[in-house]
């Protein structure tokens, strides 16, 4: 049996023309999902096709679950996953692939249900197979296909028998199609989406196209359903009963991501009835903007690469629903299906709950960048039929979804004639949507200017229309199809991007990369990433770059993004007793929300009440009167908090779910003061000062009021984040590399003097890295009023500092600490450029719960703007505020860990009180922290007041 088809650049043979996907009809269907027999061979030609013949006995074969990937089943017996970002894990010689080509022979024997019609018409549909498949039914070769994330149907009615049907599928990991699917992914072969047998009755529905534009001027929608088979279309709620191809105009409520109104209808032909869910909406390019239903929209989106930590790209409906609900609850309004069409049921959910969708073709040839795009398939006419097939199978499958507002040609495939052919075909087939492709910077083929990861300054230039470029480009709207790389701690700076989006009309938002960390559940490592399976080539934990962790728990990045993009802006002028409310929705008024105020004194809520806010139209603002503040708190820190919550249950969140919030101060906190009345007393090698004890020789603090304290000293190092490790796209600088080159991870502390004085203990030191002549002259000055202890730290750079500091503060150990209470930002972590969601108040946590479980361990867990904290028997007050971290391992241990399982809690809790932290940025892929978030080495003084808790 020849296997030439594996390296054939054609899309395949035998498959029916693509058509619209629908979940159900009154025609019979049978799922062929479930347990299949599997044999994996090392090469494409290791076995002949005899396994496909009736009577073949696969009893010695293993069993696997379909949908599924064979490398995620069998505990490694069938091979292992491979992760690469863009490098092909095989030699680049298109369309040739390695001889070592794992090949999975799949077998499923099935009987037809008793009620299966006898008229013989049937098709079998594969919704997704990676990367190339050949199919037999009852010993007959019915065809083969490439295009992993696309549906393929085959006519099989003439081959079916009542019982003992043998479906055989040979799946090859590598094929010519693999060159078109280099998508920053785990390479995971298998039948990973549904396999379905469909009865096709005489006169049944073939392909159909629901056209449902909306006229925002008249409030009317026009419905026309074009169908390959004549029939009628009914929509009872609108009184529509029309022939296919007939246009009917009626008054309707439009569909939008904010108000996803769907009308239930039905397409009826002689042989079949298909339910329809119809959303009326119009997408157009007008006045240089993307407009939907007559209004320019702002995309607050995310890229979604399908993933489950145990089943890979094989997702069930409830997992997809969980994704959509999480997105809606976190204020997202858009999804880019990077970098391939998703399971079609996901788009049903986007229709139902309301998300704008950029539907992206199954195309990326990123690995050709290494050879300057030479031999790139998208500029080679031999491959154009395959590209057009991928475009058509996406468009025809998904064309009836109102949520799909933009088609994308693919991702990171350079430029070429094949892409132009795709764009021309899509524009010709569906003029009701726009076309996107990021690589087309001159916008020759596309309807918008799209970029990934430009810096803030460049985005602002584009917003001001100062970016130049091709004339056509300058007249088009701009979106960031990828920005805010959500890898590890971060992304930082997204609030600064959002301010630009909301300032300049041309900037129509963007899509965070990406939705979920693609960690694979592992019995020993927790979650595995690139390299954990012994890959020859891999890109490490770059595959873990999501707003949710592999178990779909929201990361701090998602909580931050929710706050940054909240659709109601709440500001205030508290001395005037008013709060400003702005409706940031594109279509919805505020009638679905209720508002409430609360008043905090030193972080504790003392009064709450409802706030009457008018049902502002989109874009409208109002100043709303607050009640008089409670009396008697002038000497305390006081603030207002105003929240907007759902007034009633919705399909995606319950009544009371928080949509937006704002805080603004009324009176500020008085800083702690100490009258230094206590004198240092020296005896038996110990200096006592108020409640504290010090080592008389070293000046090291050893205890405060019976609470043991160890190792207190200046700290400038943090366990580098993924964003620290990345190269800033603007400067090329890798902060982590520079910091390590200059030795900031191995600072040495020289004690110059220990000076007990009349009312203070002063310890003078120099903190500097080996091999360099610069350092930090650091003075610790301790004073006390007898009950409390103040530490004032003075830091002066010595020599010419070449780099910013990772952090600046003090670190010390506590022998016993399990719980933490604090007044400041929370409840989650916050850093200088990631603390929009940090809410000032009183919070509490265990030390363990302070940690953020990034798949690759790194700096995490800081709480921002802390006024005071209580931990391990101590109360610590800031002068001014500080960042608080506490963990049961050292920074050095955290820095060395590669997985969470590497971290073993110790008996000491290490506490960081930071005067400043360097920003986070998004340089794991993109720009580093903005200059205002750099922590420069400069003369600084900060203080803390310690007291024992009784």
């Amino acid at each position: 049996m020849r296997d030439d088809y594996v390296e054939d650049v054609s899309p395949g043979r035998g498959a029916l023309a693509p058509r619209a996907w629908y979940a159900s009809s009154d025609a019979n269907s049978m799922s062929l999902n479930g347990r299949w027999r599997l044999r994996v061979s090392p090469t494409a030609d290791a076995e002949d096709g005899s396994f496909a013949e009736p009577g073949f006995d696969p009893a010695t074969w293993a069993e696997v679950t379909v949908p599924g990937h064979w490398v995620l089943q069998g505990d490694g017996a069938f091979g292992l996953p491979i992760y690469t970002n863009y490098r092909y894990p095989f030699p680049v010689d298109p369309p040739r692939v390695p001889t070592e080509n794992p090949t999975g022979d799949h077998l499923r024997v099935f009987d037809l249900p008793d009620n299966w019609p006898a008229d013989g018409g049937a098709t079998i549909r594969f919704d997704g197979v990676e990367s190339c498949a050949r199919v037999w039914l009852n010993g007959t070769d019915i065809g083969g296909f490439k295009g992993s994330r696309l549906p393929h149907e085959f006519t099989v009615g003439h081959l079916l028998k009542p019982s003992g049907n043998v479906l055989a599928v040979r799946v090859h990991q590598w094929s010519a199609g693999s060159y078109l699917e280099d998508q920053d992914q785990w390479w995971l072969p298998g039948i990973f989406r549904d396999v379905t047998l469909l009865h096709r009755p005489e006169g049944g529905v073939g392909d159909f196209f629901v056209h449902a534009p909306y006229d925002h001027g008249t409030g009317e929608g026009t419905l026309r359903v074009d169908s390959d088979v004549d029939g009628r279309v009914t929509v009872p709620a609108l009184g529509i009963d029309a022939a296919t191809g007939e246009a009917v105009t009626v008054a309707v409520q439009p569909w939008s991501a904010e108000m996803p109104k769907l009308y239930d209808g039905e397409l009826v032909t002689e042989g079949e009835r298909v339910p329809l869910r119809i959303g009326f909406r119009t997408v157009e390019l007008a006045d240089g903007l993307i407009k939907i239903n007559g209004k320019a929209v702002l995309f607050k989106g995310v890229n979604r690469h399908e993933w489950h930590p145990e089943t890979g790209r094989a997702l069930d409906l409830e997992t997809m629903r969980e994704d959509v609900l999480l997105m809606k609850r976190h204020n997202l309004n858009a999804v880019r299906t990077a970098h391939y069409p998703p399971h079609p049921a996901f788009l049903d959910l986007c229709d139902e709950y309301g998300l704008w969708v950029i539907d992206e073709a199954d195309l990326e040839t990123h690995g050709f960048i290494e050879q300057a795009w030479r031999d790139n398939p998208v500029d080679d006419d031999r491959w154009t039929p395959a590209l057009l097939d991928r475009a058509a199978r996406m468009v025809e499958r998904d064309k009836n979804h109102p949520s799909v507002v933009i088609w994308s040609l693919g991702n990171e495939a350079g430029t070429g004639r094949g892409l132009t052919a795709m764009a021309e075909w899509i524009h010709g087939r569906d003029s009701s949507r726009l076309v996107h492709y990021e690589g087309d910077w001159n916008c020759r083929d596309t309807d918008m200017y799209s970029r990934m990861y430009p810096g803030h300054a460049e985005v602002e230039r584009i917003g001001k229309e100062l970016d130049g470029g091709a004339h056509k480009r300058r007249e088009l709207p701009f979106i960031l199809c990828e920005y805010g790389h959500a890898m590890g701690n971060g992304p930082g700076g997204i609030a600064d991007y959002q301010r630009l989006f909301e300032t300049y009309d041309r900037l129509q938002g963007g899509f965070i990369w990406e939705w979920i960390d693609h960690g694979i559940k592992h019995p020993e490592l927790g979650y595995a990433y690139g390299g954990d399976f012994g890959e020859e080539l891999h890109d490490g934990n770059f595959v873990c770059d999501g707003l949710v962790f592999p178990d779909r728990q929201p990361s701090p990045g998602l909580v931050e993004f929710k706050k940054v993009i909240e659709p109601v802006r709440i500001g205030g002028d508290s001395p005037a007793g008013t709060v400003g409310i702005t409706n940031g929705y594109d279509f919805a008024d505020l009638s679905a929300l209720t508002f409430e105020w609360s008043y905090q004194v030193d972080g504790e809520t003392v009064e709450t009440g409802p706030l009457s806010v008018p049902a502002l139209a989109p874009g409208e603002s109002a100043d709303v009167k607050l009640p008089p503040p409670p009396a008697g708190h002038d000497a305390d820190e006081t603030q207002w908090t105003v929240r907007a919550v759902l007034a009633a249950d919705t399909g995606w969140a319950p009544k009371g779910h928080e949509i937006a919030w704002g805080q603004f101060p009324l009176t500020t906190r008085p800083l702690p003061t100490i009258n230094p009345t206590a004198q240092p007393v020296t005896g038996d090698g110990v200096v006592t000062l108020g409640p504290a004890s010090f080592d008389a020789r070293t000046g090291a603090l050893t205890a405060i009021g019976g609470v043991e304290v160890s190792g207190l000293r200046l700290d400038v190092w943090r366990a580098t984040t993924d964003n620290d490790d990345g190269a800033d796209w603007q400067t090329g600088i890798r902060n982590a590399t520079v910091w390590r080159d200059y030795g900031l991870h191995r600072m040495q502390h020289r004690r110059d003097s220990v000076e007990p004085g009349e009312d203070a203990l002063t310890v003078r030191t120099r903190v500097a890295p080996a091999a360099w002549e610069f350092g930090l002259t650091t003075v610790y000055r301790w004073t006390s009023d007898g009950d409390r202890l103040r530490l004032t730290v003075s830091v002066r750079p010595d020599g010419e500092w070449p780099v910013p500091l990772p952090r600046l503060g003090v670190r010390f150990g506590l022998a016993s600490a399990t719980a933490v209470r604090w007044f400041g930002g929370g409840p989650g972590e916050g850093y200088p450029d990631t603390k929009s969601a940090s809410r000032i108040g009183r919070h509490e946590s265990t030390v363990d719960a302070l940690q953020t479980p990034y798949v690759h361990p790194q700096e995490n867990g800081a709480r921002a703007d802390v006024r005071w904290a209580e931990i391990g028997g101590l109360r610590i007050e800031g002068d001014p505020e500080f960042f608080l971290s506490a963990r049961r391992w050292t920074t050095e241990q955290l820095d060395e860990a590669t997985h969470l399982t590497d971290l073993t809690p110790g008996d000491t809790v290490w506490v960081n009180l930071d005067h400043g932290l360097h920003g986070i940025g998004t340089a794991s892929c993109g720009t580093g922290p903005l200059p205002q978030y750099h922590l420069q080495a400069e003369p600084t003084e900060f203080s803390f007041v310690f007291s024992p808790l009784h």
Side-chain angles (χ1 to χ4, degrees), residues 566-612:
E566 60 189 8
V568 181
R569 295 303 184 195
I570 301 172
D573 181 11
S574 50
T578 62
V579 57
I581 307 292
T582 299
N583 180 357
Y585 284 111
D586 292 322
F587 297 96
D589 64 22
L590 299 187
S591 59
L593 305 179
T594 59
F595 291 76
E596 58 188 45
W597 60 265
S598 59
Y599 187 77
Q600 287 83 40
V601 176
D602 287 342
E604 284 195 297
T605 297
V606 296
E607 287 192 26
T608 63
L611 187 66
S612 179

Side-chain angles (χ1 to χ4, degrees), residues 398-668:
D398 298 340
K399 58 182 178 282
N400 295 326
H401 290 282
S403 58
V404 176
V405 294
I406 296 171
W407 302 116
S408 178
L409 304 181
N411 185 69
E412 291 176 316
T415 57
R417 291 163 288 175
L419 290 163
T420 298
M422 293 172 71
E424 290 175 349
W425 184 91
I426 293 173
H427 276 121
R429 176 59 174 147
D430 181 19
S431 60
S432 70
R433 293 176 173 92
L434 305 180
V435 171
H436 163 273
Y437 176 64
E438 185 272 339
D440 183 14
W441 283 18
N442 289 325
C443 303
R444 178 182 64 181
D445 302 321
T446 57
D447 299 311
M448 63 205 69
Y449 179 27
S450 175
R451 291 280 301 283
M452 54 176 68
Y453 309 109
H456 298 78
E458 183 180 2
V459 171
E460 184 163 28
R461 288 196 301 273
I462 294 169
K464 291 178 176 179
E465 302 182 9
L466 300 175
D467 56 305
H471 176 72
K472 180 184 176 183
R473 185 179 92 184
R474 297 198 303 271
E475 296 181 338
L476 294 178
F478 177 78
I479 65 168
L480 277 169
C481 67
E482 295 180 24
Y483 81 112
H485 195 252
M487 186 176 176
N489 188 333
I494 57 174
D496 304 277
Y497 277 114
Q498 191 66 24
R499 280 190 284 272
L500 296 173
F501 299 158
E502 296 177 4
T503 299
Y504 301 102
D505 291 342
R506 187 189 182 193
L507 308 180
Q508 292 198 250
F511 297 78
I512 296 290
W513 184 270
E514 63 157 311
W515 176 240
I516 188 169
D517 283 345
H518 290 207
I520 293 177
K521 193 170 184 180
H522 192 282
E524 298 168 2
L525 302 176
Y527 291 107
Y529 49 76
D532 288 334
F533 297 102
E535 301 101 307
E536 180 182 36
L537 288 176
H538 67 85
D539 288 290
N541 66 310
F542 201 70
V543 76
C544 294
D545 45 12
L547 291 173
V548 297
F549 296 122
D551 61 1
R552 283 181 160 75
Q553 291 301 306
S555 76
L558 181 58
V559 177
E560 174 80 357
F561 194 40
K562 176 186 178 180
K563 173 62 179 169
V564 165
I565 61 174
E566 60 189 8
V568 181
R569 295 303 184 195
I570 301 172
D573 181 11
S574 50
T578 62
V579 57
I581 307 292
T582 299
N583 180 357
Y585 284 111
D586 292 322
F587 297 96
D589 64 22
L590 299 187
S591 59
L593 305 179
T594 59
F595 291 76
E596 58 188 45
W597 60 265
S598 59
Y599 187 77
Q600 287 83 40
V601 176
D602 287 342
E604 284 195 297
T605 297
V606 296
E607 287 192 26
T608 63
L611 187 66
S612 179
V613 175
L616 299 172
E620 285 189 342
S621 298
D623 290 327
V624 179
K625 190 72 174 176
L626 290 163
H633 302 290
D634 293 345
D636 303 308
E637 178 172 358
T638 59
Q639 69 179 12
W640 295 101
T641 300
V642 174
R643 303 170 65 236
V645 302
L646 289 178
D649 291 348
T650 70
W652 48 270
K655 176 182 178 180
H657 169 77
E658 185 176 87
I659 299 295
W661 58 273
Q663 288 186 317
F664 37 98
L666 192 61
T667 58
T668 58

Side-chain angles (χ1 to χ4, degrees), residues 33-34 80 103 325 467 579 696 781 866 945:
N33 296 344
L80 295 168
T103 295
L325 295 180
D467 56 305
V579 57
R781 188 171 189 272
V866 175
V945 174

